């Protein structure tokens, strides 16, 4: 259960703030049902209503700085999501994006990176699907990590790159 003022991650809208808990006064709606009113921090004019009791909320509490550092430290140990079948791979990408889970996003990034290396070695172009989900996963992951660590996305990307270069030396 989230409290008013909490920051949450929504699969479609990124980082959002819980502004209120409300009952919707709409025709054909259950007036007793309670909803979170959440507002994406990047789209202040947008309001989203998510049932408090929904099992498919597709939201979770945003990471704090300690949790963000734990995810960053764990990146080398997270496995790539490797599925040879194109349709199954795209489905797995979608599931990972909608899970809002940072480790699954890292799995996508690693998979696409490895696939692109393999395809480039074979003289093939990167696929549109791989590029689309790589950008989504990268944006979602770096946005949340940057938010948790009070940095911007470019600083976050550089921090992670620097951290792993230092470990390789």
């Amino acid at each position: 259960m989230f409290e008013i003022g909490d920051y949450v991650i929504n699969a479609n809208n990124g980082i959002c703030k819980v502004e209120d808990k409300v009952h919707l006064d709409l025709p054909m709606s259950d007036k007793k049902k309670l909803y979170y009113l959440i507002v994406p921090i990047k789209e202040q004019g947008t309001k989203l209503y998510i049932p408090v009791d929904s099992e498919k909320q597709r939201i979770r509490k945003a990471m704090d700085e300690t949790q963000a550092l734990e995810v960053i430290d764990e990146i080398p140990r997270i496995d790539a999501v490797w599925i040879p079948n194109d349709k199954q791979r795209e489905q797995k990408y979608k599931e990972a994006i909608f899970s809002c889970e940072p480790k699954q996003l890292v799995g996508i990034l690693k998979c696409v990176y490895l696939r692109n290396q393999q395809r480039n070695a074979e003289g093939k172009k990167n696929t549109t699907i791989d590029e689309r989900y790589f950008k989504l996963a990268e944006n979602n992951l770096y946005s949340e990590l940057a938010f948790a660590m009070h940095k911007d996305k470019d600083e976050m990307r550089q921090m992670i790159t620097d951290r792993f270069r230092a470990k390789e030396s």
Side-chain angles (χ1 to χ4, degrees):
M1 191 120 183
F2 305 109
E3 300 300 324
I4 295 171
D6 283 350
Y7 287 94
V8 296
I9 304 301
N10 174 272
N12 296 321
N13 301 90
I15 302 163
C16 301
K17 185 175 182 179
V18 177
E19 293 288 336
D20 205 350
K21 294 178 190 174
V22 298
H23 297 279
L24 296 181
D25 189 17
L26 298 172
M28 309 286 283
S29 71
D30 180 355
K31 306 225 185 317
K32 294 178 184 175
K33 192 168 189 162
L34 192 60
Y35 291 82
Y36 293 114
L37 165 59
I38 64 174
V39 176
I41 63 171
K42 299 285 186 190
E43 303 167 38
Q44 289 294 316
T46 302
K47 293 181 180 182
L48 306 168
Y49 296 92
I50 298 178
V52 168
D53 63 355
S54 173
E55 293 180 20
K56 296 181 182 180
Q57 287 182 12
R58 294 198 177 170
I59 62 172
R60 65 167 173 77
K61 192 163 183 147
M63 287 186 273
D64 61 25
E65 190 169 354
T66 303
Q67 292 166 322
L69 286 169
E70 287 171 3
V71 168
I72 292 168
D73 286 341
E74 202 167 330
I75 288 173
R77 294 182 295 282
I78 297 172
D79 292 328
V81 179
W82 193 261
I83 299 171
N85 179 288
D86 289 343
K87 287 189 187 281
Q88 290 175 347
R89 185 174 45 259
E90 183 177 12
Q91 183 59 37
K92 191 70 171 175
Y93 287 171
K94 284 179 185 177
E95 289 170 8
I97 295 293
F98 283 113
S99 77
C100 300
E101 291 298 328
K103 292 175 187 174
Q104 289 193 36
L105 298 176
V106 170
I108 290 174
L109 294 173
K110 285 184 167 186
C111 175
V112 174
Y113 175 79
L114 293 171
R115 277 183 43 84
N116 288 347
Q117 281 190 321
Q118 180 183 24
R119 291 181 67 82
N120 291 337
E122 296 169 354
K124 297 178 181 176
K125 290 184 177 182
N126 302 334
T127 69
T128 304
I129 289 171
D130 282 347
E131 287 181 12
R132 179 179 353 137
Y133 285 101
F134 185 88
K135 286 177 185 174
L136 278 170
E138 183 179 50
N139 181 58
N140 292 357
L141 179 65
Y142 287 145
S143 293
E144 184 177 5
L145 291 173
F147 177 79
M149 300 191 66
H150 312 287
K151 298 184 180 298
D152 67 33
K153 283 194 306 189
D154 291 333
E155 285 180 290
M156 197 72 251
R157 183 179 288 113
Q158 191 61 51
M159 179 184 153
I160 291 171
T161 301
D162 292 347
R163 183 173 229 164
F164 291 107
R165 282 190 184 143
K167 286 185 179 185
E168 290 173 355
S169 320

